[in-house]
Amino acid sequence: MAGSRTIRALNVAEKPSVAKSVAKILSRDQGLRVREGRSRYNKIYEFNYVIRGQPCQMLVTSVTGHLMELEFDERYRKWYSCDPADLYQAPVRKHVPEDKIDIKRTLQEEVRNCQWLVLWLDCDREGENIAFEVVEVCTETNRYLDIWRARFSALIDREIHEAVQNLVRPNQLFAEAVDARQEIDLRIGASFTRFQTMLLRDAFNFNFATDDKNLILSYGPCQFPTLGFVVERYWEIQSHEPEEFWTINCSHNSDEGTATFNWVRGHLFDHSCAVVIYEMCVQEPTATVTKVRQQEKLKYPPHPLNTIELEKRASRYFRMSSEHTMKVAEELYQSGFISYPRTETDCFSVRTDLHAIVQEQQGHPAWGSFAQRLLDPGAGLWRNPSNGGHDDKAHPPIHPTKFSAGESGWSQDHHKLYELVVRHFLACVSQPAVGAETIVEIDIAGELFSASGRVIISRNYLDVYRFETWGGSLLPTYVFGQQFVPTTLTLDSGVTRPPPLLSEADLLSCMDKAGIGTDATMHDHIKKLLDRFYATQDANTRFAPTNLGEALVMGYDDMGYELWKPYLRSMMEGDMKDVSMGMKAKNDVLTTCLQQMKLCFLDARLNKTKLLEAMEVFFDRSNRSGPVEQNMIGAVVRRCILCQQYDMVLKRRPDGNFMVGCLGFPQCRNVVWLPGSVAEAIVTNNTCSSCLPGPVFLIQFKFRRLEIPPSYSVDHLGCIGGCDETLRQLMEICGTGARNVSGMPARARGSSASSGNNPPGNTRQNACAYCRQIGHASNDCLQGSQSGRPRPPSMNMASGESSIPCNSCGTPCALRTANTANNRGRRFYSCQSQECNFFMWEDALNNRAGGVTAAPARTNASTSAFASGRRGGRGHGQSRGRGRRGGARGTDFTFVSATGDAVSGRRCFSCGDPSHFANTCPNRGMQT
């Protein structure tokens, strides 16, 4: 690595405070220059340094945690943009969010002229993932970087200098394991959270939420099993049936004290049996000593401290929450007083200089004398620490790294946690406590009783570890064969008691045992339960589920799924560990986990009534109707061009008909009613090349064969942007699903159904754009165009069929009969030419006495009535004159959208008149 040319190296730490500490340690505060970066919180430190003989110009800066976020593509990001089941295969991308763009710019500007990139991220899987995020950003600017990783566990001189002199390569497998976890959690969490929230939020009155509209009923793959532990213990308590039992108690007073003997049977639930045995003892009360056993007893010190034990002991000793414990521990670490606090390791390496750590504590007024005794060979107090059996290969156990008798800026919790870390370390390198235990057994009428006593001979580690005690009582002296009459002999009763609620330490133990979360994330999952109103915590740090938390678990439990059990997540955590060790491929783990959870999701959605029934046990139904109950939401089709704020999405109404509506409803009422003959509709990834503004995603339609003319295919890839003439024709022939005001499925309606396009609850939809009367469409209005009329129908002498000439090409248009549910038996004329799409209803021609506006030939995107329906919505109230450009028609008409509201800013594509769309243009029949 040595060389004569000076290397310019960019060093990146995970936090600004760590960057500052690393820079000060390596520069020894000599020649250290500081300047601002793009982000005011992430400064840049410059100094010169030599790495294994190689002169280096060091630049040290930082990120603030993860530099990138994983999220869905834009069209899947909004809650109502797609079916939640689609999220299991929706495209995701990792990108730098807006609030960290300045950090990205700093890195790219500084690395441009560097040869090395040295990564000082935390040495765990999460830190490795952040490291590769930094690598990705930096290599966008400089592809020729030599990339190195510094591995350290404490911000102290010895660790930092050793790390920079022994640089290694970053671990890609660790980063991939985190990538897998992030994607799994994102897809599962988003799908179930959207499903739960959209199903339940508007269906019930939640008395704990001040704003039901913003309530999130979240689901997390780790969060939910954690809730399961709390609910399961609560159910154990609720289902407990107290049962009375009886036991015999015996005591004996002597000159040396009192001995209490316990019945070896413990207790009996049968009162009659207990009475019989008690009476036997009373009739022959003489007690005979049958055994006297004396033995040395050892109480061992704890294993070295890892993260879970730190959280459990802080909760037990100080009643500190795990989340607060980690916050304080992180601050102590960044200040250099303790080693890295996120570690699974509970055994020290043979290379660790434990004596040096103890030496630093000799001057402390509280435990300094004990540290001195440890270092005195003559005292015999030293003992190498035990091995707890866990080693994450990244960090040593948590231990003190710098002496402190108490800093001025510390809170009480900082003092307590630092003291716990120091005392725990000193205890784990100390001899166990030694005691002498005596056990005496006696026989009364054939029943055995025992008593025990303990005397502490040597306290050893208990002298420094004040958090633990080893109590005992001194027994009077008894000898084998000795007989005496008990002072008291009583038959006492009691009742069984349920287990207590889980404390935070208990909950952490359950999570650790089941493999739920990691040492760095467990406290986050617990905090999320409280934030989401799924559980409460009392003053004794014990957890109880809220009604909401219990209802959710009950609902999934009634479905037969054990999503609230730890098994699924435990397997996922095992798979991700295998990824980090190179035993499994990331993509294989993603595929397996997501397929499994998607099946669970689909089945859970089919059984959603179980969830609703469970909620009804605890909450009252509301009279609000959520969007999901009104419509089944599909994928995004395009941006709404009316409000330009929300997306237009494909929806399937409860009556089975399809529509494309704006998510801004009811503020924006833009809607496109699709043909009533549509059986299936799926938004594809293909986009229309002609409709603007884009993208407009094409929809794959499947029509019911009996409801469309024979010349049309049942499968059609169509566009709702206005360019699709086939779709427009089918709307004219079949009508739209919106005409079903009663909510009856379209296939059940007879030929007497209206042929207008009014949506349910909005009778203005049938209003004619010319005369504003209902009962006929704009194309059929007598006040419509007076030009371009088709000739009266004539008889084809050869076939005997009536026909009219096509306005566009002159070809005779045969009279046909519709066979759809909406217009069965109704007759129409249509052109047989492939280049022409002339169409007209026979009754419209007759009713208008020769005044007809024919449907145009195939035109541009904006010429169809379909476009007017799509662009309809909340109008602006302006009235627009209708008629030809010459102004022959008056100005007392209002152009309306598909919802019946006035629309502004629209023009006829054919003639440019803003008072109508091209499908009702009075000049279209005159065009050649």
Side-chain angles (χ1 to χ4, degrees), residues 641-642 871 895 903-908 913-917:
I641 60 174
L642 182 62
R871 297 180 181 178
F895 181 61
V903 176
S904 63
R906 310 290 182 257
R907 291 179 178 273
C908 171
D913 194 324
S915 65
H916 59 261
F917 280 153

Side-chain angles (χ1 to χ4, degrees), residues 638-657:
R638 71 174 308 171
R639 195 71 165 175
C640 178
I641 60 174
L642 182 62
C643 68
Q644 298 183 356
Q645 295 182 11
Y646 298 95
D647 290 327
M648 299 281 287
V649 298
L650 177 67
K651 302 181 182 181
R652 185 167 192 169
R653 300 184 57 79
D655 61 6
N657 293 312

